[in-house]
Amino acid sequence: MSAATIPTTMRAAVLHTVGEPLVVQEVAISQPGAHEVLVQVKASGICHSDLHVCEHDTGHYPAPLVPGHEIAGVIVALGDAVAGLAVGDHIVACEVAHCGHCIDCISGRPFMCPNVHETERAEGATPRVSIGNTEVTAFAHIGGFAEYALMHENSVVVIPDEMPFDRAAILGCGVITGAGAAINAASIRVGDTVAVIGCGGVGLSVIQGAILAGARRVIAIDVHDNKLELARKMGATDVINSAEVDPVGRVRELTGGLGVLYSFEVAGLKRTALQALEMIRPSGTAFLIGIQAPDTVLEINPLVDLLFSKRNLRTVYMGNSNFKHDIPLLAEMYLQGRLNLDDMVSDRIALDDVQKGLENLRSGSAARTVITTF
């Protein structure tokens, strides 16, 4: 795409007021800067993080805002200082912007990078996306509910051309967060026992990551039978409908009274976070992945609940992943038939139906809805 044909406007779903529906409208998009890439979005997954930012004022993403961060697409233009990428490359976006040169980045921990500001345009520069004279915030430095995404070069990872875009998109957040939590954060070993609370896109990915790592028992917990059926398809050895039985008691029954070595809370609820801690055995670890409401407070007695019971509680951010390594690896596993992404994409919709996609997510009726028509 030549400079003359690089788009100057695009359609995007814009959040103008937290709690109000998104508005699909024309917005202005800038030309790529020196270290930026312009991506034509081919698929954009709808994630709980998108729903969260649409419903809660986190203080980090001022409106107007284009949500969306789980994207796959094709590079159509490059800044003159971009290295290692080319027009026509198929890519997945990295949700976590990172500088690439700090101690955390070069140690394989880009999710801990303290220099995210280096990937943004300087104060006073022309905004990447705007409406009139107003800058439009791009969620997660991506803004994927749109025809195009203009990002820093560090925010993209090249994937094989044969990877389907709708499946590739979910690698960038849901899959890498879930599988990464099991493989990177927990370092699950052959024979370990695992419980996963919440079987949406991230939870299903935790299950698959645990199976890939060699867990002998993976217990899936949800309130929706259709999601539990999908969890079995992903490799769960046992399923529990927590609307019908006490999940903590049932997990203990299934593990001879001990509890599991690792539990993963993906629902983002106070109740399930405490259940995750209660269902682990001594020396076990509960990992909190789900995004809690901003005012959530967990009442935990560190002496009784942690020290005396020999239990551990940790949070996980983006699966503790090294994106440039882990995303291509997961793409390869999909192409080898070892990672099931086909059944995780439950709905494909148009950008104009983005609000319906958010409602599906809120109701828990879909594993992953992906925008594929823009």
Side-chain angles (χ1 to χ4, degrees), residues 16-354:
H16 290 277
T17 304
V18 172
E20 295 294 322
L22 301 179
V23 177
V24 178
Q25 64 183 97
E26 289 283 327
V27 300
I29 186 165
S30 184
Q31 304 292 297
H35 289 279
E36 294 175 346
V37 297
L38 179 66
V39 174
Q40 183 177 16
V41 180
K42 297 293 188 178
S44 183
I46 300 179
C47 174
H48 269 284
S49 300
D50 300 311
L51 181 62
H52 185 82
V53 79
C54 288
E55 294 184 334
H56 300 282
D57 185 358
T58 65
H60 297 293
Y61 297 103
L65 167 75
V66 176
H69 58 282
E70 203 176 63
I71 72 167
V74 179
I75 295 177
V76 295
L78 299 164
D80 57 15
V82 173
L85 299 169
V87 170
D89 281 347
H90 291 199
I91 66 92
V92 166
C94 303
E95 181 182 350
V96 179
H98 54 283
C99 70
H101 61 77
C102 70
I103 185 63
D104 290 310
C105 285
I106 64 176
S107 299
R109 300 187 299 269
F111 58 92
M112 295 177 63
C113 177
N115 301 321
V116 174
H117 62 280
E118 293 185 13
T119 68
E120 289 297 297
R121 289 190 170 182
E123 187 174 351
T126 301
R128 288 175 178 162
V129 179
S130 57
I131 300 174
N133 295 321
T134 303
E135 179 174 1
V136 176
T137 306
F139 180 48
H141 310 275
I142 296 171
F145 290 174
E147 292 181 287
Y148 294 89
L150 182 59
M151 300 171 286
H152 191 276
E153 62 181 316
N154 288 355
S155 291
V156 301
V157 177
V158 177
I159 57 169
D161 287 355
E162 59 267 35
M163 186 79 192
F165 287 116
D166 56 348
R167 264 95 2 133
I170 65 176
L171 289 175
C173 179
V175 176
I176 200 168
T177 295
I183 297 169
N184 300 326
S187 298
I188 290 172
R189 297 185 301 176
V190 173
D192 287 343
T193 53
V194 172
V196 180
I197 306 175
C199 296
V202 177
L204 294 173
S205 298
V206 175
I207 290 168
Q208 293 203 74
I211 295 297
L212 285 170
R216 80 170 182 270
R217 186 155 225 162
V218 179
I219 305 168
I221 303 165
D222 205 290
V223 296
H224 299 282
D225 285 332
N226 63 314
K227 287 190 174 181
L228 293 173
E229 291 173 9
L230 195 52
R232 278 199 186 278
K233 200 168 188 178
M234 299 295 169
T237 58
D238 306 272
V239 299
I240 298 171
N241 188 320
S242 55
E244 299 174 354
V245 299
D246 169 31
V248 175
R250 183 61 180 142
V251 165
R252 293 197 175 279
E253 287 178 15
L254 290 169
T255 55
L258 279 176
V260 291
L261 186 58
Y262 299 113
S263 67
F264 299 85
E265 194 285 328
V266 196
L269 301 173
K270 178 178 180 177
R271 179 184 72 258
T272 50
L274 294 173
Q275 288 172 345
L277 183 60
E278 292 168 5
M279 65 179 58
I280 56 174
R281 59 171 295 166
S283 78
T285 303
F287 293 90
L288 304 185
I289 305 174
I291 298 177
Q292 300 279 340
D295 58 351
T296 299
V297 177
L298 299 182
E299 293 86 11
I300 296 172
N301 184 320
L303 188 66
V304 175
D305 298 328
L306 300 178
L307 183 62
F308 284 172
S309 62
K310 302 181 180 68
R311 296 175 184 156
N312 303 286
L313 181 65
R314 289 180 55 186
T315 58
V316 184
Y317 182 54
M318 289 304 299
N320 288 9
S321 299
N322 182 347
F323 312 102
K324 304 287 186 178
H325 172 272
D326 293 353
I327 288 177
L329 174 63
L330 292 169
E332 183 178 349
M333 287 187 171
Y334 166 78
L335 293 172
Q336 292 174 351
R338 299 167 64 192
L339 184 68
N340 183 350
L341 303 181
D342 297 340
D343 291 311
M344 289 180 62
V345 179
S346 49
D347 295 283
R348 296 166 179 83
I349 63 172
L351 181 63
D352 289 316
D353 297 321
V354 63

